[in-house]
Amino acid sequence: MEPTIVVEHKTQRVRKSRFSLGTTLMYVILTAWSLTTIYPMFWIVNNSFKVSRDVMNNSFGIAWEPVFSNYVNAFDRINIGRSYINSLVMSFGTVFLVLLLGGLAAYVLSRFNFRGRRTIYSILYATLLIPAFATVVPVYEILIKTSMVNTYWGLIFPQTAGNLTFATLVIAGYMSTIPKELEEAAFMDGCNRWQMFVKIFVPISQPVFASASIFVFMWSYNDLFSALIFVNKENVRPIVALLNEISSQYGTDFGLMATAVALTVIPVLIVYLFISKYIQKGLTEGAVKG
């Protein structure tokens, strides 16, 4: 029995050493990868507290004596506050419409069996392959005819249409995992379809709604291409379009540019921090089912 015990102990030590080596290597790789994301953010924020001359001469040095004039100029010279409001109104408007329409469509696709259901799924998957550039001309003509160019709706509606397919498929995949017994119990309690959607499916599907909302918000907030075409006037200009103009109008003021970039990233980080706990759960449990 003793040789067997010795062999077992040796095997356990080998497994522990392999596990320890693999875990260490994994953490090293993840740490190196995270630094490629964290350091650029730190570099931008750090340079936002320097004057333009210091950014040019010593961009990698730490701002031990920070200056706040760049943040004052961002709100006074380039009116970044107005662009903030424009971006938030259009992004949150897009998220609201996408979650409302996508949630209702996902509920129908995931809980109803009807003829053509698989065909609809196939069409939705096919639309994901259509590039946004291919729809710019017809969408722009529609916005001109409806007088929505250079208005909030002129960006909200195209972005809603562009993100609706993704949200519908992800939410439908999650809702299809909800047990049928909950639906039957709700029917027994006298709930109609709308009450069932609002009181049962929406609360249970909060993780996937949160996951879809963060992706839709980021895509809408960072959509420079659509912003330059559909809302190019200053009164409705989002913050990403403002950054594009800073690079040309204030090309030599690198401190102001760094400040504008830092202020642009802040809303995305705040939104992510509030709902990050739902994202992994929503994506892992929301695998799309046919």
Side-chain angles (χ1 to χ4, degrees):
M1 295 296 295
E2 292 183 359
T4 305
I5 295 175
V6 172
V7 171
E8 289 180 354
H9 282 301
K10 288 183 178 180
T11 305
Q12 291 178 357
R13 285 198 298 269
V14 171
R15 288 178 179 176
K16 288 182 180 180
S17 63
R18 288 180 180 177
F19 176 78
S20 178
L21 179 61
T23 303
T24 303
L25 182 61
M26 178 184 67
Y27 278 109
V28 169
I29 294 174
L30 290 176
T31 301
W33 176 80
S34 64
L35 289 177
T36 62
T37 303
I38 296 173
Y39 182 76
M41 184 62 194
F42 168 77
W43 184 84
I44 287 292
V45 174
N46 182 57
N47 283 327
S48 69
F49 293 102
K50 300 178 184 178
V51 296
S52 181
R53 180 183 64 258
D54 293 338
V55 176
M56 288 293 295
N57 295 333
N58 187 20
S59 62
F60 293 98
I62 298 177
W64 297 111
E65 298 179 357
V67 295
F68 298 92
S69 58
N70 291 325
Y71 288 89
V72 176
N73 291 333
F75 287 93
D76 291 342
R77 284 174 57 185
I78 61 177
N79 196 16
I80 199 172
R82 179 63 184 178
S83 296
Y84 249 134
I85 295 174
N86 294 336
S87 289
L88 294 179
V89 168
M90 289 185 280
S91 296
F92 281 116
T94 301
V95 170
F96 174 77
L97 288 179
V98 167
L99 294 185
L100 176 62
L101 300 177
L104 291 172
Y107 174 61
V108 173
L109 289 173
S110 61
R111 311 306 295 192
F112 289 81
N113 290 319
F114 54 90
R115 182 177 298 178
R117 178 170 171 267
R118 291 185 177 274
T119 303
I120 294 176
Y121 266 116
S122 300
I123 294 174
L124 290 176
Y125 283 121
T127 58
L128 293 175
L129 303 177
I130 300 176
F133 307 98
T135 62
V136 170
V137 175
V139 169
Y140 191 70
E141 289 183 356
I142 293 173
L143 295 179
I144 291 177
K145 292 180 180 179
T146 55
S147 301
M148 286 194 293
V149 176
N150 292 319
T151 65
Y152 287 153
W153 296 114
L155 193 61
I156 291 175
F157 283 148
Q159 289 184 340
T160 299
N163 292 294
L164 191 57
T165 300
F166 163 79
T168 300
L169 292 173
V170 173
I171 297 172
Y174 189 95
M175 286 185 175
S176 64
T177 64
I178 297 176
K180 190 75 173 178
E181 290 75 14
L182 290 176
E183 221 171 344
E184 296 172 353
F187 271 124
M188 295 294 293
D189 292 337
C191 289
N192 56 36
R193 285 294 183 181
W194 173 253
Q195 291 173 333
M196 189 181 304
F197 173 74
V198 173
K199 295 181 179 180
I200 296 178
F201 282 86
V202 171
I204 294 177
S205 303
Q206 282 184 0
V208 73
F209 275 105
S211 299
S213 65
I214 186 62
F215 283 108
V216 172
F217 179 83
M218 288 191 299
W219 291 335
S220 173
Y221 188 81
N222 296 320
D223 188 3
L224 175 62
F225 179 74
S226 299
L228 292 177
I229 297 175
F230 302 141
V231 285
N232 53 18
K233 291 294 182 65
E234 184 176 353
N235 61 328
V236 291
R237 179 179 56 192
I239 198 167
V240 289
L242 178 66
L243 288 178
N244 184 65
E245 293 196 5
I246 292 176
S247 62
S248 57
Q249 294 183 13
Y250 307 99
T252 57
D253 196 341
F254 295 100
L256 181 62
M257 292 176 62
T259 302
V261 173
L263 290 173
T264 302
V265 176
I266 288 174
V268 178
L269 292 178
I270 293 175
V271 172
Y272 179 80
L273 289 175
F274 272 105
I275 62 176
S276 60
K277 61 181 180 180
Y278 296 107
I279 292 179
Q280 183 178 1
K281 184 178 179 181
L283 291 179
T284 54
E285 295 185 10
V288 177
K289 294 184 177 181

